Amino acid sequence: MSDKVDEKKSVDINFTHFKLKRILNSNSGSKIVSLLGYLTDLSDEKEAVVILEKKAFTESDLTSKEGFFSSSTSFRKEFTNDIYGNFECYPRPEINSVKTTVIYPATQKHIDKYSKQEVHIVQETPDLYVGTTLRHIEKEQFSLEWLYNILDHKKESERIVFEDTCKETGFILLPDLKWDGQTAETLYCLALVQKRGIKSLRDLNESHLPLLRNILNKGIQAIEDKYAVGRSQLRIYLHYQPSFYHLHVHFTYLKHDAPGIFCEKSHLLNAVIDNIELMSDYYQRATLSFVLRENDKLWDEFKREHEFRKSIKHE
């Protein structure tokens, strides 16, 4: 199934026409809910995934005269007891918005990605990468049309924070979709490399060191210039497995608990550079651990490989 969205079918979303089919996942800790449904004003009856996220508090909303502590904020008392009081607070809508992401039309891979499910950690040897993972991602990965639209300046040009146009070591830096692009406390930017064909960490070797160093140095400087967040407050890393297979680097504010910052997912860019300096083909020789969701077809591939190897041992 292709997950490339026809440009003609890109639509403006009106939630009065959204019909909920089911809740895919609701995380009370991160205050994110993922929904599956239909846009009833469209005749194609294709499904849409909607992700709603409560936004973080910002310093300006807490200090501004038009923020939380203003005359436009109203309260509903739940109870008071001695010196304690519980209230429902209703600030003005402009500072109480919900970050909303819409994926339409959504494929089964999108639905699986945002559904609640069991997870498993796997250890991927170089042989497993070549024989199982690489074969899978070449067959199953998401379309990169949206990314090429950015690199080719067809879409989202106004969101670009910094661009180095060199085809070998250049990149585009822009806010991640999970960030509103304004609140420094939740800063989250992506560096998308200009060079095509580098899928992930597994492809990197000594020839890519100029690219990686360029992203590190110029990305840090661009974020400091734009958002006044310095190097010592940035977490700079790559994901493995990544959510899409075109090399990209994550820049997040150190105090922000961004998705995918845990040890089974993220690899600090400084450490990646050091590893390659020590051994040019480090990431072609290393065993890498990562987490797979139970509905991920790659998990099925790994289980089949494991069963096949067990059967050989018992023959």
Side-chain angles (χ1 to χ4, degrees):
M1 179 186 296
S2 171
D3 43 35
K4 178 178 177 181
V5 177
D6 188 334
E7 184 70 20
K8 294 179 181 178
K9 292 186 179 179
S10 297
V11 294
D12 293 327
I13 302 300
N14 182 342
F15 276 169
T16 60
H17 300 295
F18 181 73
K19 181 180 180 182
L20 178 65
K21 182 177 179 180
R22 70 175 187 270
I23 298 173
L24 298 176
N25 195 11
S26 181
N27 189 316
S28 59
S30 61
K31 296 180 173 58
I32 299 176
V33 62
S34 303
L35 311 172
L36 179 66
Y38 300 95
L39 300 169
T40 58
D41 57 328
L42 301 176
S43 58
D44 56 18
E45 297 185 352
K46 293 183 178 179
E47 294 173 315
V49 170
V50 175
I51 302 104
L52 305 175
E53 178 181 359
K54 292 283 191 178
K55 295 174 68 174
F57 293 102
T58 67
E59 183 176 344
S60 60
D61 289 341
L62 299 173
T63 57
S64 168
K65 291 182 179 179
E66 299 301 319
F68 281 94
F69 304 104
S70 69
S71 58
S72 60
T73 299
S74 61
F75 292 88
R76 180 176 64 81
K77 184 174 72 173
E78 292 188 344
F79 72 87
T80 57
N81 184 353
D82 192 27
I83 63 173
Y84 303 102
N86 267 20
F87 303 85
E88 286 282 343
C89 174
Y90 302 95
R92 63 190 181 91
E94 288 77 7
I95 62 172
N96 196 34
S97 61
V98 175
K99 180 172 174 53
T100 304
T101 301
V102 178
I103 302 171
Y104 171 82
T107 68
Q108 187 59 48
K109 286 188 287 184
H110 291 114
I111 296 169
D112 290 342
K113 177 179 179 179
Y114 292 102
S115 296
K116 185 177 182 179
Q117 52 191 281
E118 292 297 323
V119 294
H120 303 271
I121 194 163
V122 300
Q123 285 75 46
E124 180 193 76
T125 64
D127 286 345
L128 277 173
Y129 171 71
V130 174
T132 302
T133 307
L134 183 58
R135 184 180 64 228
H136 171 81
I137 63 179
E138 287 174 345
K139 181 176 62 175
E140 296 288 342
Q141 71 165 310
F142 288 119
S143 167
L144 295 177
E145 192 67 24
W146 65 272
L147 186 146
Y148 298 147
N149 283 340
I150 295 173
L151 295 181
D152 295 336
H153 287 247
K154 294 178 180 178
K155 296 286 185 180
E156 302 186 50
S157 296
E158 71 284 355
R159 301 179 68 239
I160 293 175
V161 174
F162 173 83
E163 180 173 14
D164 181 331
T165 59
C166 177
K167 295 301 181 183
E168 292 298 318
T169 63
F171 64 98
I172 284 179
L173 184 74
L174 76 170
D176 186 89
L177 286 176
K178 293 181 282 295
W179 186 42
D180 62 11
Q182 300 175 355
T183 311
E185 292 91 338
T186 55
L187 183 145
Y188 196 151
C189 288
L190 278 186
L192 307 174
V193 304
Q194 300 277 10
K195 187 177 179 66
R196 305 188 186 191
I198 312 174
K199 294 183 290 298
S200 73
L201 197 62
R202 280 292 192 190
D203 290 344
L204 296 176
N205 57 45
E206 189 175 22
S207 69
H208 300 110
L209 286 175
L211 167 64
L212 299 178
R213 293 183 185 124
N214 193 48
I215 293 172
L216 180 66
N217 296 327
K218 290 184 179 178
I220 289 170
Q221 190 60 56
I223 288 175
E224 185 168 9
D225 292 344
K226 177 74 173 181
Y227 303 111
V229 177
R231 170 68 182 96
S232 64
Q233 294 180 300
L234 287 174
R235 181 189 293 109
I236 307 168
Y237 55 97
L238 296 87
H239 278 157
Y240 193 79
Q241 291 282 323
S243 56
F244 57 92
Y245 290 90
H246 175 100
L247 191 71
H248 57 284
V249 177
H250 303 254
F251 290 75
T252 64
Y253 187 53
L254 194 59
K255 291 196 292 185
H256 174 44
D257 293 334
I261 61 173
F262 304 108
C263 63
E264 68 273 15
K265 179 78 171 179
S266 64
H267 298 254
L268 292 175
L269 180 55
N270 267 333
V272 171
I273 292 172
D274 287 346
N275 288 337
I276 296 173
E277 287 176 337
L278 289 170
M279 184 184 299
S280 175
D281 58 350
Y282 178 89
Y283 288 102
Q284 289 78 58
R285 299 175 63 177
T287 293
L288 300 178
S289 299
F290 57 88
V291 166
L292 287 173
R293 293 173 172 230
E294 200 159 80
N295 287 350
D296 194 317
K297 290 182 180 179
L298 183 55
W299 171 242
D300 293 332
E301 297 283 351
F302 269 91
K303 285 194 298 182
R304 278 194 288 270
E305 179 69 23
H306 178 69
E307 291 301 319
F308 175 71
R309 293 190 177 195
K310 281 200 307 182
S311 69
I312 293 177
K313 289 180 181 179
H314 287 89
E315 286 180 355

